[in-house]
Amino acid sequence: MTTAFLFVSSEQKYTDLGKPKVDMKQAYQHSWITIPASIASGMLSTSMSEWLIPVMRSKLSLNMSNAIGTCITIAFAVSCVGAVSHILMGSQANWAVIVWAIPGVIIGGQIGPRLPNALMSGC
């Protein structure tokens, strides 16, 4: 609900307008948001992207494609750290999930961005 409220209350159009890159000093001012977002994401089993994309759009004026790309990179890095941590603590990898997840992510990552464009051009 909080994520939906952040998107609805931001009064921004859902276009790809905005800056392609943000100055590090400006980004650092809002870096504190990642700590409560991480805690809430862990408690709710959601991705940090739902919390960070509205911040990148409203506070940093980043364009939507770069905000999403940055969040995907963050999610990948966090997933890798989590996987390595679990393996180092003695957990076993579930290879059946990995074998299905890797092609699913790759295929979904190619089809997902094209789907809204196809739907919008059909309207």
Side-chain angles (χ1 to χ4, degrees), residues 12 18 85:
Q12 291 185 1
S85 299

Side-chain angles (χ1 to χ4, degrees), residues 87-106:
I87 290 171
L88 290 175
M89 288 189 290
S91 295
Q92 296 290 326
N94 187 345
W95 291 104
V97 172
I98 293 171
V99 166
W100 285 100
I102 290 173
V105 169
I106 292 171

Side-chain angles (χ1 to χ4, degrees), residues 3-122:
T3 305
F5 178 74
L6 288 173
F7 271 117
V8 171
S9 66
S10 67
E11 297 182 21
Q12 291 185 1
K13 302 291 181 199
Y14 295 105
T15 63
D16 206 23
L17 299 175
K19 299 181 216 173
K21 195 172 181 182
V22 176
D23 182 44
M24 283 301 270
K25 288 181 182 178
Q26 184 183 8
Y28 185 74
Q29 291 174 350
H30 303 290
S31 64
W32 64 271
I33 296 171
T34 57
I35 294 170
S38 300
I39 293 168
S41 297
M43 289 177 162
L44 299 172
S45 297
T46 61
S47 173
M48 270 194 350
S49 301
E50 284 89 9
W51 304 90
L52 293 179
I53 289 174
V55 172
M56 289 181 183
R57 293 281 295 150
S58 63
K59 302 287 185 194
L60 301 176
S61 301
L62 208 63
N63 63 25
M64 186 61 90
S65 58
N66 286 1
I68 291 171
T70 302
C71 286
I72 289 171
T73 304
I74 292 169
F76 175 73
V78 169
S79 298
C80 288
V81 169
V84 169
S85 299
H86 279 277
I87 290 171
L88 290 175
M89 288 189 290
S91 295
Q92 296 290 326
N94 187 345
W95 291 104
V97 172
I98 293 171
V99 166
W100 285 100
I102 290 173
V105 169
I106 292 171
I107 292 168
Q110 300 303 312
I111 295 172
R114 289 174 176 79
L115 189 60
N117 289 335
L119 292 173
M120 292 304 289
S121 64

